[in-house]
């Protein structure tokens, strides 16, 4: 749907999580260790906590979360609406925000491309660092989030705003 106010609110909340919280925590680890081991440890131990802490500071009618068709953490498993939206985004190779109106809420979806630093933990498993692969196997035995190529659709960040 077209709803510039909801889209702007949702994108501000998404940008806050990504640019003000997750990236500042992750990027120094990736710079220190391009193999991805430190980044993988940070994500597996802290990303969900960072997301939860961020949500505690949002208005009570809002929540931001991450999900993907090929998810790593079962806590980020998409629901049916997420799957429908992401399938459409992926099929159309669309990285523009999408606003969905539901009965009791709006959802704003921001598609994420796979960027070069992401490949350390989400790229080709034949060249991935062995320690990264071990961490993934141990912490996420049902992992689906590898073998991406740079620029491919990786997943979404969703802002949910109650009506």
């Amino acid at each position: 749907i077209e709803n510039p106010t909801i889209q702007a609110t949702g994108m501000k909340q998404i940008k806050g999580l990504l640019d003000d919280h997750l990236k500042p925590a992750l990027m120094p680890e990736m710079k220190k260790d391009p193999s991805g081991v430190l980044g993988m440890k940070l994500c597996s131990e802290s990303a969900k906590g960072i997301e939860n802490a961020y949500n505690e500071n949002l208005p009570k009618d809002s929540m931001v979360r991450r999900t993907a068709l090929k998810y790593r953490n079962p806590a980020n498993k998409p629901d049916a609406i997420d799957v429908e939206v992401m399938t459409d985004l992926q099929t159309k190779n669309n990285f523009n925000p999408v606003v969905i109106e539901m009965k009791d809420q709006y959802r704003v979806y921001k598609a994420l491309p796979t960027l070069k630093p992401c490949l350390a933990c989400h790229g080709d498993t034949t060249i991935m660092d062995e320690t990264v692969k071990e961490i993934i196997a141990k912490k996420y035995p049902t992992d689906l989030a590898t073998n991406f190529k740079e620029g491919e659709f990786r997943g979404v960040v969703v802002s949910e705003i109650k009506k």
Side-chain angles (χ1 to χ4, degrees), residues 46-63:
S46 304
K48 201 68 178 163
I50 291 169
E51 184 179 299
N52 291 341
Y54 179 73
N55 280 321
E56 286 176 18
N57 292 309
L58 287 179
K60 292 290 177 221
D61 69 345
S62 297
M63 181 183 95

Side-chain angles (χ1 to χ4, degrees), residues 36-49:
V37 173
L38 292 177
M40 185 69 225
K41 285 182 178 174
L42 179 113
C43 276
S44 66
E45 295 167 6
S46 304
K48 201 68 178 163

Side-chain angles (χ1 to χ4, degrees), residues 24-130:
L26 180 60
M27 293 321 291
E29 301 303 301
M30 294 303 294
K31 283 190 174 120
K32 273 192 272 186
D33 175 22
S35 77
V37 173
L38 292 177
M40 185 69 225
K41 285 182 178 174
L42 179 113
C43 276
S44 66
E45 295 167 6
S46 304
K48 201 68 178 163
I50 291 169
E51 184 179 299
N52 291 341
Y54 179 73
N55 280 321
E56 286 176 18
N57 292 309
L58 287 179
K60 292 290 177 221
D61 69 345
S62 297
M63 181 183 95
V64 178
R65 60 187 173 83
R66 299 164 297 132
T67 190
L69 293 169
K70 296 179 182 179
Y71 56 91
R72 172 158 288 158
N73 186 338
N76 296 334
K77 183 178 179 177
D79 66 20
I81 302 292
D82 296 336
V83 170
E84 186 179 323
V85 171
M86 287 188 288
T87 301
D88 188 57
L89 290 168
Q90 185 175 38
T91 301
K92 294 176 180 172
N93 201 30
N94 176 13
F95 289 93
N96 296 318
V98 172
V99 179
I100 302 291
E101 183 174 4
M102 299 170 67
K103 190 178 102 179
D104 59 348
Q105 70 177 343
Y106 295 97
R107 288 186 181 177
V108 180
Y109 288 84
K110 169 154 179 34
L112 300 174
T114 305
L115 303 176
K116 190 169 183 132
C118 307
L119 297 175
C121 301
H122 294 287
D124 183 344
T125 55
T126 64
I127 58 172
M128 191 178 289
D129 183 271
E130 288 302 318

Side-chain angles (χ1 to χ4, degrees), residues 7-24 54 58 64 108 110 112 157-159:
Q7 181 173 318
T9 300
M11 289 304 294
K12 181 179 179 190
Q13 292 174 353
I14 290 167
K15 189 175 178 351
L17 175 64
L18 291 176
D19 295 347
D20 300 338
H21 292 81
L22 290 175
K23 284 181 186 172
Y54 179 73
L58 287 179
V64 178
V108 180
K110 169 154 179 34
L112 300 174
V157 180
V158 186
S159 172

